[in-house]
Amino acid sequence: MNSNSKSSMNMYECESELRRGPWTLEEDNLLIQYVSSHGEGRWNSLAKFAGLKRTGKSCRLRWLNYLKPDIKRGNLTPHEQLLILELHSKWGNRWSKIAQHLPGRTDNEIKNYWRTRVQKQARQLKVDSNSKKFLEAIRTFWMPRLMEKMEQNSPPMSPPSSSSAVPSSPAISQLAPPDSLCPNPVNNSYSSNILLEQISGPSVNLTAVKNQPEIPVEESYYNVGFPSCYDDMQGQEILLPDCHVADIDWFGEDLCSTFWNTDELWQFRK
DNA sequence: AAAGTTGGCAACCGCGAGTCA
DNA sequence: GTGACTCGCGGTTGCCAACTT
């Protein structure tokens, strides 16, 4: 027991019995039973009356992140990943807000995803994960790749209509119209101002991007769109590793399949 | 096979906002 | 107005399994 908890023992005599660390099955059951009969909220008293030797905070966290019935377990789908990238570019580290658009996913899970996967990419590119450059990279390379994965994963009978493009999650249907992600009408590219300005629009149109995977590589984002992105980035220092592509071990195998490939990366570095 | 390293994730912590007496 | 309390959020930590050497 640390000195902090010791210091508060006078006020809360029973605090010495407070448990910490991983939850046991018994505790989980107690919490589930109590919440299912009394509902959520009033976490401190809930902890007390449910007979849990945990703080209210701890109970709330356990419930929201793990025990709640509609929690979705398992890997994030490409669609969910895409949504996270998109919404993060719009709202930043507002994890709970982002989580609201991914039913069954918790803010903690999304935060962990961002820290372990996305920030890793940024580190490997030696750019800041919140930087415009990285945002460009995500949009130019990563998103189209996720689109491809979504395309591959979608059932063959699924029609290409935008409304049913991503049937796996209701979230996408909430993210409808505008063109925060649409190609720039002038040059048909994803100009960088879209990223930081249009993105602050009311919502996100993923289908606009989604419907393009059939475009030949020469005409796809990073060839049509990238030049403008690149122009925009010129004059800025792009601190990418001073090494040949062949030497790069930026991507594990998994990342190769989910993130950009070597050719794309090479273009980005160029 | 063992030791060391890395990655993923659950849980904790501190802080600020909201509520209420 | 204010202090106590609760809640929710974002950042951080620590554990453990998987992977590498």
Side-chain angles (χ1 to χ4, degrees):
Chain A
M1 177 172 298
N2 63 31
S3 55
N4 284 345
S5 54
K6 194 178 176 182
S7 65
S8 57
M9 266 207 292
N10 291 339
M11 282 181 68
Y12 305 101
E13 208 174 325
C14 60
E15 195 144 309
S16 60
E17 293 176 21
L18 281 181
R19 274 182 50 78
R20 296 170 52 114
W23 281 64
T24 65
L25 196 58
E26 249 176 65
E27 289 176 308
D28 282 348
N29 286 334
L30 277 175
L31 184 53
I32 290 169
Q33 278 172 23
Y34 194 90
V35 171
S36 56
S37 56
H38 295 88
E40 299 178 34
R42 310 291 304 171
W43 293 104
N44 279 335
S45 49
L46 180 154
K48 198 167 112 189
F49 293 125
L52 287 160
K53 295 181 168 59
R54 297 275 183 172
T55 63
K57 255 184 158 181
S58 181
C59 293
R60 175 184 166 271
L61 208 62
R62 182 64 179 174
W63 176 257
L64 293 179
N65 286 343
Y66 199 83
L67 299 176
K68 212 174 171 183
D70 56 356
I71 293 291
K72 223 189 269 178
R73 317 298 308 175
N75 294 338
L76 292 161
T77 64
H79 164 242
E80 288 172 321
Q81 293 178 47
L82 195 58
L83 212 44
I84 292 171
L85 296 175
E86 185 54 43
L87 295 178
H88 185 275
S89 72
K90 190 173 176 180
W91 294 322
N93 295 1
R94 305 286 304 281
W95 307 119
S96 61
K97 193 169 181 179
I98 293 171
Q100 286 168 11
H101 292 265
L102 285 99
R105 300 297 186 181
T106 67
D107 55 351
N108 207 34
E109 193 174 8
I110 293 167
K111 181 169 58 182
N112 282 334
Y113 168 75
W114 186 265
R115 294 188 62 84
T116 57
R117 316 288 170 79
V118 182
Q119 288 197 334
K120 181 181 171 189
Q121 300 300 319
R123 278 199 304 275
Q124 286 170 335
L125 289 173
K126 293 192 161 58
V127 296
D128 186 88
S129 62
N130 291 317
S131 69
K132 195 175 170 181
K133 285 173 229 165
F134 188 60
L135 207 56
E136 288 282 358
I138 285 176
R139 289 183 172 280
T140 310
F141 300 120
W142 197 346
M143 284 183 164
R145 189 145 303 274
L146 287 169
M147 295 297 176
E148 282 174 26
K149 287 202 88 173
M150 285 165 61
E151 196 73 25
Q152 289 163 10
N153 294 345
S154 63
M157 65 229 309
S158 151
S161 80
S162 60
S163 62
S164 59
V166 188
S168 60
S169 168
I172 196 70
S173 61
Q174 298 163 11
L175 296 169
D179 33 40
S180 60
L181 251 182
C182 289
N184 181 322
V186 175
N187 60 8
N188 195 35
S189 69
Y190 294 91
S191 61
S192 58
N193 59 348
I194 288 178
L195 309 177
L196 299 175
E197 292 169 12
Q198 288 196 12
I199 205 108
S200 61
S203 61
V204 179
N205 184 0
L206 292 176
T207 56
V209 174
K210 162 111 178 74
N211 288 338
Q212 306 214 14
E214 300 304 328
I215 297 171
V217 171
E218 311 78 70
E219 293 174 43
S220 65
Y221 319 105
Y222 37 87
N223 276 340
V224 176
F226 191 69
S228 71
C229 302
Y230 178 58
D231 288 347
D232 198 63
M233 284 194 277
Q234 281 192 336
Q236 300 178 31
E237 189 185 10
I238 301 181
L239 291 174
L240 293 170
D242 183 21
C243 58
H244 300 297
V245 168
D247 299 332
I248 298 174
D249 62 345
W250 297 354
F251 313 109
E253 278 186 24
D254 178 53
L255 292 173
C256 284
S257 66
T258 56
F259 203 0
W260 44 55
N261 63 33
T262 305
D263 290 341
E264 293 165 340
L265 183 65
W266 182 241
Q267 289 186 53
F268 177 69
R269 292 189 60 219
K270 269 165 69 186

